[in-house]
């Protein structure tokens, strides 16, 4: 299970990184989203991978999963989700304001130089 | 008085929420709430400084969950100093914003207070995951503040800033996952003890996590390969926001200082002080490139952004020397440089407003309406940030230069002095272009409003006061540095059960 988990996480992170380095805003947003999924999976695995482990201490149970990464990953998911929503809106605004979805569009800068 | 520690987080949170109740209400009550809340924050943080000066490290256990299991807020001299610095800077920016910048978009003051909450939280927390959460709080507020008022340039700079910081947050989480996976704790004091007694097989993994954390903090602090977002983002932000952002790079520097002296400090066994030699070269390179950037800037605000970069380099050099004297020197320098660069951002905006079309660009154009007043501010600001006596910059730089060992002197002295020279040349050139090569000012043009004047006096006027009070302040920073490097006292104050710190 470890090998599969690690491969999936690594593949997600690599795809996310590749997309985040693209030149248009939409792939960048998708890339950052994939990266945050990979991070969530990774964070989830930091307590060690266990199946059928109890998260809360009870009598008669001696096989436990680490509950803390589950709490951490919840925080990370909430923050990551909010930031994805924000960056989608921002990307649309970039498209509207600059008339292009290129991340490094120089048009805004050129018009500023013209004035000087 | 245990509850005092949490007030710097609760106070801005409450006033920020209060302003969300009616988002488009009249501007005057919002200004009143913002000013009163920030002034109260300053009073509270001054009390915290006094409380921390007893030398005891006190903590506040949230929900009375005792460390290392619960989240704690920790008050020592360094965190009290940083919170006090933040609230002073915020008071100046809020005062300046009340002149009209706050009306250019919606809910300026609410977001500003929430950002203050994030910054204060990052300074006070003793839990490394909580540090991440407060980083996110301050970043989310800063994304919206950066784009306050709108405009093409801001939108594009904003997208770069958001994308970079999202990637940074992802790396922060990976680093935290590695640290938690290897040490099994998130409490910083507890982690520092676990690191010392770590299984040697896991050292490599932990080291990778620690380096990744350095990259994240370096992105926030704007060290050399990671600073390219800064000049653009800061020079396109609205002036009061840019002034508050002057503390954001210091949040990164504070995090480096805290994590790499406490967790990976002298007591960390094999990993003791392993990042400092790396940091030394990157900091020197930042210093050198900041100097070049200052010379090439064509806009006053861009110039101030590069001056900020020089100060980041200077501060990190101090961090990388990792001894009491340089850390004490850098803390004094940090107070000075944060307030004065904040003031200079405000001043550039005020100059730009009075010059009509020429704006803040460094070109001959129409003169300012109030050359004597703005010229005086500019002179004080420039002399201070470059480090001419008798202002506070000279004291800070002299303390830092003096603390270098003979082996460090050739690099530090030459680069710090050369970048100061670059700053001097650039500021002299832009000052003479803006004030002397200018035509007559428009006598009916816009004048400084009282609120703007108050903001400028508060931030730039702090410099002479810092020089006059240099004695008590350096005594405090010396004590802070001593306390910071005494990791065992910190861990003992947080973890030993016989100290009752948390108030339920």
């Amino acid at each position: 299970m470890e090998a599969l988990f690690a491969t999936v996480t690594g593949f997600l992170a690599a795809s996310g990184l590749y997309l985040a380095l693209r030149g248009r805003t939409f792939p960048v947003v998708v890339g950052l989203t994939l990266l945050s999924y990979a991070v969530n999976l990774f964070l989830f695995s930091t307590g060690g991978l266990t199946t059928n482990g109890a998260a809360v201490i009870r009598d008669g149970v001696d096989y436990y999963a680490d509950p803390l990464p589950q709490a951490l990953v919840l925080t990370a998911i909430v923050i990551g989700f909010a930031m994805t929503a924000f960056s989608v809106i921002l990307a649309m605004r970039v498209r509207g304001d600059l008339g292009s979805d290129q991340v490094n569009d120089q048009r805004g800068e050129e018009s500023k130089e013209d004035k000087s | 008085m245990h509850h005092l520690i949490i007030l710097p987080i609760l106070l801005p949170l409450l006033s920020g929420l209060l302003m969300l109740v009616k988002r488009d209400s009249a501007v005057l009550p919002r200004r009143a709430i913002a000013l009163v809340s920030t002034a109260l924050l300053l009073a509270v943080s001054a009390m915290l400084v006094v409380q921390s000066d007893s030398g005891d490290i006190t903590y506040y256990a949230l929900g009375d969950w005792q460390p290392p299991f619960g989240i704690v807020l920790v008050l020592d001299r360094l965190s009290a100093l940083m919170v006090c610095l933040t609230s002073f800077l915020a008071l100046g920016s809020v005062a300046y914003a009340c002149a009209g910048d706050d009306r250019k978009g919606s809910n300026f003051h609410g977001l500003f207070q929430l950002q203050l909450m994030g910054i204060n939280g990052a300074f006070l927390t003793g839990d490394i995951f909580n540090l991440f959460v407060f980083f996110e709080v301050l970043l989310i507020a800063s994304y919206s503040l950066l784009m306050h008022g709108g405009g093409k340039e801001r939108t594009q700079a904003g997208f770069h800033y958001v994308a970079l910081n999202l990637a940074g947050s992802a790396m922060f989480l990976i680093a935290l996952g590695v640290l938690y996976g290897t040490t099994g704790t998130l409490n910083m004091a507890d982690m520092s003890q676990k690191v010392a007694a770590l299984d040697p097989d896991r050292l490599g993994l932990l080291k990778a996590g620690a380096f990744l954390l350095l990259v994240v903090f370096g992105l926030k602090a704007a060290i050399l390969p990671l600073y390219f977002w800064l000049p653009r983002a800061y020079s396109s932000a609205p002036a009061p926001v840019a002034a508050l952002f002057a503390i954001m790079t210091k949040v990164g520097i504070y995090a480096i200082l805290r994590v790499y002296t406490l967790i990976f400090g002298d007591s960390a066994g094999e990993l003791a002080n392993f990042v400092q030699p790396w940091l030394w070269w990157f900091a020197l390179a930042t210093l050198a490139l900041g100097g070049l950037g200052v010379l090439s800037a064509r806009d006053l605000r861009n110039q101030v952004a590069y001056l900020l970069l020089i100060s980041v380099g200077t501060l990190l050099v101090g961090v990388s020397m990792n001894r009491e004297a340089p850390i004490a020197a850098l803390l004094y320098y940090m107070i000075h440089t944060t307030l004065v660069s904040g003031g200079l951002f405000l001043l550039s905006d005020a100059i730009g407003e009075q010059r009509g079309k020429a704006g803040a660009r460094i070109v001959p154009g129409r003169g300012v309406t109030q050359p004597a007043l703005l010229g005086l501010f500019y002179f004080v600001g420039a002399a201070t940030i470059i480090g001419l006596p008798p202002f506070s910059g000279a004291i800070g730089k002299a303390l830092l230069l003096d603390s270098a060992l003979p082996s460090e002197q050739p690099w530090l002295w030459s680069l710090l002095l050369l970048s100061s020279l670059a700053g001097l040349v650039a500021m002299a050139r832009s000052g003479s272009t803006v004030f002397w090569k200018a035509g007559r000012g428009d006598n009916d043009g816009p004048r400084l409003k009282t609120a703007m004047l108050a903001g400028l006096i508060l931030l730039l006027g702090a410099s002479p006061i810092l020089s006059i009070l240099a004695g008590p302040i350096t005594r405090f920073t010396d004590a802070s540095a001593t306390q910071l490097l005494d990791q065992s006292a910190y861990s003992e104050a947080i973890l030993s059960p016989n100290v009752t710190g948390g108030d339920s």
Side-chain angles (χ1 to χ4, degrees), chain B residues 80-133:
Chain B
L81 177 71
M82 297 306 294
V83 169
C84 192
L85 178 61
T86 309
S87 42
F88 194 88
L89 180 72
L91 191 60
S93 324
V94 167
Y96 189 91
C98 286
D101 273 331
D102 54 352
R103 280 196 212 181
K104 289 179 184 157
S106 80
N107 203 18
F108 175 88
H109 288 301
L111 288 167
F112 196 94
Q113 294 295 323
L114 291 178
Q115 171 149 22
L116 278 183
M117 169 199 163
I119 297 175
N120 286 341
F123 288 144
L124 284 172
T125 186
D127 181 283
I128 202 159
F129 194 80
N130 204 227
L131 182 69
F132 164 76
V133 174

Coordinates of all heavy atoms in Angstrom, one line a residue, chain B residues 80-133:
Chain B
A80 N 6.9 39.8 22.1 CA 6.3 41.0 22.6 C 6.8 42.2 21.7 O 6.0 43.1 21.3 CB 6.6 41.2 24.0
L81 N 8.1 42.2 21.5 CA 8.7 43.3 20.7 C 8.1 43.3 19.3 O 7.7 44.4 18.8 CB 10.2 43.1 20.6 CG 11.0 44.1 19.7 CD1 11.1 45.4 20.4 CD2 12.4 43.6 19.4
M82 N 7.9 42.2 18.6 CA 7.4 42.1 17.3 C 5.9 42.6 17.2 O 5.5 43.3 16.3 CB 7.5 40.7 16.7 CG 8.9 40.2 16.5 SD 10.0 41.2 15.6 CE 9.3 41.2 14.0
V83 N 5.2 42.2 18.2 CA 3.7 42.6 18.3 C 3.6 44.1 18.5 O 2.8 44.8 17.8 CB 3.0 41.8 19.4 CG1 1.6 42.4 19.6 CG2 2.9 40.4 19.0
C84 N 4.5 44.6 19.3 CA 4.5 46.1 19.6 C 4.8 46.8 18.3 O 4.2 47.8 18.0 CB 5.4 46.4 20.7 SG 5.2 48.0 21.4
L85 N 5.9 46.3 17.6 CA 6.3 47.0 16.4 C 5.2 46.9 15.3 O 4.9 48.0 14.7 CB 7.5 46.2 15.9 CG 8.1 46.6 14.5 CD1 8.6 48.1 14.7 CD2 9.3 45.7 14.2
T86 N 4.5 45.8 15.2 CA 3.4 45.7 14.3 C 2.3 46.7 14.6 O 1.8 47.4 13.7 CB 2.8 44.3 14.4 OG1 3.8 43.3 14.3 CG2 1.8 44.0 13.3
S87 N 1.9 46.8 15.8 CA 0.8 47.7 16.1 C 1.2 49.1 15.9 O 0.3 49.9 15.5 CB 0.2 47.4 17.5 OG 1.2 47.3 18.4
F88 N 2.4 49.5 16.2 CA 2.8 50.9 15.9 C 2.8 51.2 14.5 O 2.2 52.2 14.0 CB 4.3 51.1 16.5 CG 4.7 52.5 16.6 CD1 4.4 53.2 17.7 CD2 5.3 53.2 15.5 CE1 4.8 54.5 17.9 CE2 5.7 54.5 15.6 CZ 5.4 55.2 16.8
L89 N 3.3 50.3 13.6 CA 3.3 50.5 12.2 C 1.9 50.5 11.7 O 1.5 51.4 10.8 CB 4.0 49.3 11.5 CG 4.1 49.3 10.0 CD1 5.1 50.4 9.6 CD2 4.5 48.0 9.5
A90 N 1.0 49.7 12.3 CA -0.4 49.6 11.8 C -1.1 50.9 12.1 O -1.9 51.4 11.3 CB -1.1 48.5 12.5
L91 N -0.8 51.5 13.3 CA -1.4 52.8 13.7 C -1.1 53.9 12.6 O -2.0 54.6 12.2 CB -1.0 53.2 15.1 CG -1.8 54.3 15.7 CD1 -3.2 54.0 15.8 CD2 -1.2 54.7 17.0
G92 N 0.2 53.9 12.2 CA 0.6 54.9 11.2 C -0.2 54.7 9.9 O -0.7 55.6 9.3
S93 N -0.3 53.4 9.5 CA -0.9 53.1 8.2 C -2.4 53.4 8.2 O -2.9 53.9 7.3 CB -0.7 51.7 7.8 OG 0.5 51.2 8.1
V94 N -3.0 53.0 9.3 CA -4.5 53.2 9.4 C -4.8 54.7 9.4 O -5.7 55.2 8.7 CB -5.0 52.6 10.7 CG1 -6.4 53.1 11.0 CG2 -5.1 51.1 10.6
A95 N -3.9 55.5 10.1 CA -4.1 57.0 10.1 C -4.0 57.5 8.7 O -4.8 58.3 8.3 CB -3.1 57.6 11.1
Y96 N -3.0 57.0 8.0 CA -2.8 57.5 6.6 C -4.0 57.1 5.7 O -4.4 57.9 4.9 CB -1.5 57.0 6.1 CG -1.1 57.6 4.7 CD1 -0.3 58.7 4.7 CD2 -1.5 57.1 3.5 CE1 0.1 59.3 3.5 CE2 -1.1 57.6 2.3 CZ -0.3 58.7 2.3 OH 0.0 59.3 1.1
A97 N -4.4 55.9 5.9 CA -5.5 55.4 5.1 C -6.8 56.2 5.3 O -7.6 56.3 4.3 CB -5.8 53.9 5.3
C98 N -7.0 56.8 6.5 CA -8.2 57.5 6.8 C -8.3 58.8 5.9 O -9.3 59.4 5.9 CB -8.3 57.9 8.3 SG -8.7 56.5 9.2
A99 N -7.2 59.2 5.2 CA -7.3 60.4 4.4 C -8.0 60.1 3.1 O -8.3 61.1 2.4 CB -5.8 60.8 4.1
G100 N -8.4 58.9 2.8 CA -9.2 58.7 1.6 C -8.9 57.4 0.9 O -9.7 56.9 0.1
D101 N -7.7 56.8 1.2 CA -7.4 55.5 0.5 C -8.4 54.4 0.8 O -8.6 53.5 0.0 CB -6.0 55.1 0.9 CG -4.9 55.7 0.0 OD1 -5.3 56.0 -1.2 OD2 -3.8 55.9 0.4
D102 N -9.0 54.5 2.0 CA -9.9 53.4 2.4 C -11.2 53.5 1.7 O -12.0 52.5 1.7 CB -10.1 53.5 3.9 CG -10.6 54.9 4.4 OD1 -10.6 55.8 3.5 OD2 -11.0 55.0 5.5
R103 N -11.5 54.5 0.9 CA -12.8 54.6 0.2 C -12.7 54.0 -1.2 O -13.7 53.9 -1.9 CB -13.2 56.0 0.1 CG -13.8 56.5 1.4 CD -14.6 57.8 1.0 NE -14.6 58.6 2.2 CZ -15.2 59.8 2.2 NH1 -15.8 60.3 1.1 NH2 -15.1 60.5 3.3
K104 N -11.4 53.7 -1.6 CA -11.3 53.3 -3.0 C -11.7 51.9 -3.3 O -11.8 51.5 -4.5 CB -9.8 53.5 -3.4 CG -9.4 54.9 -3.6 CD -7.9 55.1 -3.9 CE -7.6 56.6 -3.9 NZ -6.1 56.7 -3.7
G105 N -12.0 51.1 -2.3 CA -12.5 49.8 -2.5 C -13.4 49.4 -1.3 O -13.6 50.3 -0.5
S106 N -13.9 48.2 -1.3 CA -14.8 47.9 -0.2 C -14.0 47.3 1.0 O -13.1 46.5 0.8 CB -15.9 47.0 -0.6 OG -15.5 45.7 -0.7
N107 N -14.5 47.6 2.2 CA -14.1 47.0 3.4 C -12.6 47.0 3.7 O -12.0 46.0 4.1 CB -14.6 45.5 3.5 CG -14.7 45.0 4.9 OD1 -14.7 45.8 5.8 ND2 -14.7 43.7 5.0
F108 N -11.9 48.1 3.4 CA -10.5 48.2 3.7 C -10.1 47.9 5.1 O -9.3 47.1 5.4 CB -10.0 49.6 3.3 CG -8.5 49.9 3.6 CD1 -7.6 49.5 2.7 CD2 -8.2 50.4 4.8 CE1 -6.2 49.7 3.0 CE2 -6.8 50.6 5.1 CZ -5.9 50.3 4.2
H109 N -10.8 48.6 6.0 CA -10.4 48.5 7.4 C -10.7 47.1 8.0 O -9.9 46.7 8.8 CB -11.2 49.6 8.3 CG -10.7 51.0 8.0 ND1 -9.4 51.3 8.2 CD2 -11.3 52.0 7.5 CE1 -9.2 52.6 7.9 NE2 -10.4 53.1 7.5
G110 N -11.8 46.5 7.6 CA -12.0 45.1 8.1 C -10.9 44.2 7.7 O -10.4 43.4 8.6
L111 N -10.5 44.2 6.4 CA -9.4 43.3 6.0 C -8.1 43.7 6.7 O -7.3 42.8 7.0 CB -9.2 43.5 4.5 CG -10.4 42.9 3.6 CD1 -10.2 43.3 2.2 CD2 -10.3 41.3 3.7
F112 N -7.9 45.0 6.9 CA -6.7 45.4 7.5 C -6.6 44.8 9.0 O -5.5 44.3 9.4 CB -6.7 46.9 7.6 CG -5.4 47.6 7.9 CD1 -4.5 48.0 6.9 CD2 -4.9 47.8 9.2 CE1 -3.3 48.5 7.1 CE2 -3.7 48.3 9.4 CZ -2.9 48.7 8.4
Q113 N -7.7 44.8 9.7 CA -7.7 44.3 11.0 C -7.4 42.8 11.0 O -6.7 42.2 11.8 CB -9.0 44.6 11.7 CG -9.2 46.1 12.0 CD -8.2 46.7 13.0 OE1 -7.8 46.0 13.9 NE2 -7.8 47.9 12.7
L114 N -8.0 42.1 10.0 CA -7.8 40.6 10.0 C -6.4 40.3 9.6 O -5.8 39.3 10.1 CB -8.8 40.0 8.9 CG -10.2 40.1 9.3 CD1 -11.1 39.5 8.3 CD2 -10.5 39.3 10.6
Q115 N -5.8 41.1 8.8 CA -4.4 40.9 8.5 C -3.5 41.1 9.8 O -2.6 40.3 10.1 CB -3.9 41.9 7.4 CG -2.4 41.8 7.3 CD -1.9 42.0 5.9 OE1 -2.6 42.6 5.1 NE2 -0.7 41.6 5.6
L116 N -3.9 42.1 10.6 CA -3.2 42.4 11.8 C -3.3 41.1 12.7 O -2.3 40.7 13.4 CB -3.7 43.6 12.6 CG -3.3 44.9 12.1 CD1 -3.9 46.0 13.0 CD2 -1.8 45.0 12.3
M117 N -4.5 40.5 12.7 CA -4.7 39.4 13.6 C -3.7 38.3 13.1 O -3.1 37.6 14.0 CB -6.1 38.9 13.4 CG -6.4 37.6 14.0 SD -7.9 36.9 13.3 CE -7.7 35.2 13.7
G118 N -3.6 38.0 11.8 CA -2.7 37.0 11.3 C -1.3 37.3 11.7 O -0.5 36.4 12.1
I119 N -0.8 38.5 11.6 CA 0.6 38.9 11.9 C 0.9 38.6 13.3 O 1.8 38.0 13.7 CB 0.9 40.3 11.4 CG1 0.7 40.5 9.9 CG2 2.3 40.7 11.8 CD1 0.9 41.9 9.4
N120 N 0.0 39.2 14.2 CA 0.2 39.0 15.6 C 0.2 37.6 16.0 O 1.0 37.1 16.9 CB -0.9 39.8 16.4 CG -0.7 41.3 16.4 OD1 0.4 41.7 16.1 ND2 -1.7 42.0 16.6
G121 N -0.7 36.8 15.4 CA -0.8 35.4 15.8 C 0.5 34.7 15.4 O 1.0 33.8 16.2
A122 N 1.0 35.0 14.2 CA 2.3 34.3 13.8 C 3.4 34.7 14.8 O 4.3 33.8 15.0 CB 2.6 34.8 12.4
F123 N 3.4 35.9 15.3 CA 4.5 36.2 16.3 C 4.3 35.5 17.6 O 5.3 35.3 18.3 CB 4.5 37.7 16.5 CG 5.0 38.5 15.3 CD1 4.5 39.7 15.0 CD2 6.1 38.0 14.6 CE1 5.0 40.4 13.9 CE2 6.6 38.6 13.5 CZ 6.1 39.9 13.1
L124 N 3.0 35.3 18.0 CA 2.8 34.8 19.4 C 2.8 33.3 19.5 O 3.0 32.7 20.6 CB 1.5 35.4 19.9 CG 1.6 36.8 20.3 CD1 0.2 37.3 20.6 CD2 2.5 37.0 21.5
T125 N 2.5 32.6 18.4 CA 2.2 31.1 18.5 C 3.4 30.3 18.9 O 4.5 30.7 18.5 CB 1.5 30.6 17.3 OG1 1.1 29.3 17.5 CG2 2.4 30.6 16.1
G126 N 3.2 29.2 19.6 CA 4.3 28.4 20.0 C 4.1 27.0 19.4 O 4.8 26.0 19.8
D127 N 3.2 26.9 18.4 CA 2.9 25.7 17.7 C 3.2 25.8 16.2 O 2.7 26.8 15.6 CB 1.4 25.3 18.0 CG 1.0 24.0 17.4 OD1 0.8 24.0 16.2 OD2 0.9 23.1 18.1
I128 N 3.9 24.9 15.6 CA 4.3 25.2 14.3 C 3.2 25.0 13.2 O 3.2 25.7 12.2 CB 5.6 24.3 13.9 CG1 6.4 24.9 12.8 CG2 5.2 22.9 13.6 CD1 7.8 24.5 12.8
F129 N 2.2 24.2 13.5 CA 1.1 24.1 12.6 C 0.2 25.4 12.7 O -0.3 25.9 11.7 CB 0.3 22.9 12.8 CG -0.7 22.6 11.6 CD1 -0.2 22.0 10.5 CD2 -2.0 23.0 11.7 CE1 -1.0 21.8 9.4 CE2 -2.8 22.7 10.6 CZ -2.3 22.1 9.5
N130 N 0.1 25.8 13.9 CA -0.6 27.1 14.1 C 0.1 28.2 13.4 O -0.6 29.2 13.0 CB -0.7 27.3 15.7 CG -1.8 28.2 16.1 OD1 -1.7 29.1 16.8 ND2 -3.0 27.9 15.5
L131 N 1.4 28.2 13.3 CA 2.1 29.2 12.6 C 1.7 29.2 11.2 O 1.4 30.2 10.6 CB 3.6 28.9 12.7 CG 4.6 29.9 12.0 CD1 4.6 31.2 12.8 CD2 6.0 29.3 12.0
F132 N 1.5 28.0 10.6 CA 1.0 27.9 9.2 C -0.4 28.5 9.1 O -0.7 29.3 8.2 CB 0.9 26.4 8.8 CG 0.1 26.2 7.6 CD1 0.6 26.5 6.3 CD2 -1.2 25.6 7.7 CE1 -0.2 26.3 5.2 CE2 -2.0 25.4 6.6 CZ -1.5 25.7 5.3
V133 N -1.3 28.2 10.1 CA -2.6 28.8 10.0 C -2.6 30.3 10.0 O -3.3 31.0 9.2 CB -3.5 28.2 11.1 CG1 -4.8 28.8 11.1 CG2 -3.6 26.7 11.0

